Structures are given as C-alpha cells and as structure tokens.
Amino acid sequence: MQRGSRTDELMTLLFMLLTVAAGICFFAVGNRLPFYICGGIAMLIRIAQYILRIFP
C-alpha cells in the first residue's frame, strides 16, 4: 500500500474516527470497556496500516 492511496486514506479516517470515539467514551461513559475497545481497535488499524506500508 502506498502512502496517499485510497485504502491508506480510508484506514487513516477510520483511525481518526475511532480515536475521537475513544476520547468521548473516556469522559462520557462511566465504564471504561468502550474506551478500551475503541482505543484498541484504533491502535490495531494504525499498526496494520504501518505494516502494509512497509511490506506492500
């Protein structure tokens, strides 16, 4: 995957949306489980994006 490709932009958008959702869950929800789920999926998407950039 090359930087700036459609897939790269989609993964970046998903990462940003999940990061914002995790921030909202951190402050709005009493239970921390939604925060951990959103944050964990966001980190997995970002790590996968970097791996796909290194190994095309």
Side-chain angles (χ1 to χ4, degrees):
M1 174 172 43
Q2 291 184 356
R3 191 174 187 98
S5 69
R6 183 86 171 154
T7 307
D8 187 54
E9 290 179 5
L10 181 64
M11 289 180 83
T12 301
L13 179 65
L14 272 170
F15 169 74
M16 284 192 256
L17 289 174
L18 283 168
T19 304
V20 169
I24 291 170
C25 287
F26 184 77
F27 292 109
V29 179
N31 187 5
R32 294 289 183 232
L33 185 61
F35 164 72
Y36 292 137
I37 290 171
C38 288
I41 293 172
M43 287 191 324
L44 287 175
I45 288 174
R46 192 54 135 189
I47 290 168
Q49 185 179 16
Y50 286 138
I51 289 172
L52 288 173
R53 283 183 189 169
I54 292 172
F55 303 110

